[in-house]
Amino acid sequence: MKWLELLTVGGATLVSAAVVVTLYSLGVRLTAIAGDADQPSPGTKRSLAYACFGLCGLAVLFGLYLIIPYFSK
Amino acid sequence: MVALVIALALFFDFTNGFHDTANAMATPIATGAIKPKTAVALAAVLNLVGAFLSTEVAKTVSGGIIREGSGGVQITPEIIFAGLMGAVLWNMITWLKGLPSSSSHALFGGLIGAAVIGAGFNSVNLETLLQKVILPAVFAPLIAGLAAYVCTRLAYALTARHDPETGSKLTQKRGGFRTGQIFTSSLVALAHGTNDAQKTMGIITLVLIAAGTQAPGSGPQLWVIAACAFAIAIGTYAGGWRIIRTMGSGLTEVKPAQGFAAETSTASAILASSHLGFALSTTQVASGSVIGSGMGRRGTTVRWGMVGKIALGWLFTLPAAAIVGALTALLVKTGVVGVLIAAIAGSGAVLFMFFYSRKSAVSHQNAVEVEEAGQAVRFAKKKAMARARAKAKAKAEADAAANNPKAAAEAPTAAANNPKESQR
């Protein structure tokens, strides 16, 4: 039986999904904060939010890298 | 026979496509991230691209579940035909019931049934069956469900904002998750295309090799790749709206943050499983994610009755497809007449199910009740009513003006109000 592989897959799924969701959620939160009326530095918050979204985009690109066999070999 | 198998294989590819649209696109449709028609079109294009991207064909169709070669079964076009028949019919039945079920498991089941009739029970490799079908079926929803549960909790915890003094809620912009959903669901659709079109390509290539029209050990020919890619894309575009309804709103209500968490979990699980060696079914992963995200948000109920139905469907997938496969194999064994009977009975059953489904058609219009769609409909009605009212008013005023000059003076102001009303 391939219990180790099963465990690896489960762990990798959990960690990668959690990382992406955390980043995206932070992005969403920062956008919300930047949108507040009495926000001293909306520009910084907004660029931080975009940085978070950008990291998520990198994660998606990594997914593409895994999907397309041309790159993986 | 070869032509028949190829036609059936392409039809299987088509059912596979519309069976699995839901995996990628049910949650974005349910949250209104993508419009239903656009979503299936996007999924279709991505499946098409995915099918062309990866031409690495699984060497064995059955993945070692059936002992092939010396000491086992010689996989013949007849066995593949019978197996495909089982898979196609089971796919149609589960679609009719709106149950998401794994197309590959149906294919395995059909092939097992056909092989058992062709060569006895010894031909089935039970250990591989346990390892490749039964255990993944248990663990896929568990892994994906757990990930989706954790992610949903994370997403809600991270975006929850309260005013520290008054405790009242601040803007949370959770609608922002909708944009993310577009990307994650696209990833799932692309991954699906690279995996599932492959199976059919493998089958057709195997048949061509068995029939001696292609050199053994060679890859799929271009027309096979193109045909499979288009079959799965058309199937995806046709959209299994019944299954989309089950996944999008039958299991639990899906909000954007939940949908994003579920799709990220699905995408991670599929990618992790296909690259770390423990193959999981896309359908089962996606269903598990939706259930997990349903459990993760407070105030959401998971409809466990529906979950039970789906689980029962998974339990029956293999044996049911095996029985149909076995029956077809029996028919095919009797010769050309048997093949004809099987082909006609099979297409008859498919047609019957199709027409039966028309009785209670589920299409992109009514697959999922989306908040925004509901609003759009209401807006349209309001507009139409305002227009009708304006017309009636104008008519009444015109009539009145003919009789009464005073009313005619009021008419312009009423007319000035009307455009505003209709714009709303």
Side-chain angles (χ1 to χ4, degrees), chain A residues 1-3 5-6 9-10 12-14 16-18 20-22 24-25 28-29 32-33 36 63-64 66-69 73, chain B residues 53-54 131 135 139 147 151 154-155 158-161 171-173 176-177 180 190 194 260 264 268-269 271 275 277-278:
Chain A
M1 243 352 110
K2 304 173 167 178
W3 293 112
E5 286 183 7
L6 178 68
V9 169
T13 304
L14 195 61
S16 54
V20 171
V21 168
T22 305
Y24 200 91
S25 304
V28 166
R29 190 190 175 102
I33 293 175
D36 280 351
L64 280 179
L66 285 181
I67 288 174
I68 303 170
K73 269 185 201 159
Chain B
L53 272 180
S54 160
Q131 194 172 327
L135 279 180
F139 285 108
C151 289
L154 264 176
L158 283 170
T159 53
R161 296 181 70 220
T171 47
Q172 298 172 323
K173 301 239 171 165
F177 281 109
L190 192 67
T194 51
F260 182 76
T264 313
S268 325
L271 290 177
H275 286 271
F278 199 91

Side-chain angles (χ1 to χ4, degrees), chain B residues 183-256:
Chain B
F183 293 101
T184 47
S185 57
S186 301
L187 210 56
V188 175
L190 192 67
H192 180 258
T194 51
N195 283 324
D196 279 31
Q198 298 306 307
K199 285 179 213 147
T200 319
M201 285 179 211
I203 290 172
I204 295 179
T205 306
L206 199 69
V207 170
L208 287 176
I209 290 173
T213 50
Q214 196 179 334
S218 58
Q221 289 163 1
L222 187 64
W223 69 265
V224 177
I225 299 174
C228 289
F230 277 100
I232 204 165
I234 294 167
T236 307
Y237 185 70
W241 297 108
R242 286 163 186 273
I243 300 170
I244 290 177
R245 176 151 78 177
T246 305
M247 296 274 280
S249 61
L251 283 169
T252 178
E253 261 173 83
V254 187
K255 298 265 181 214

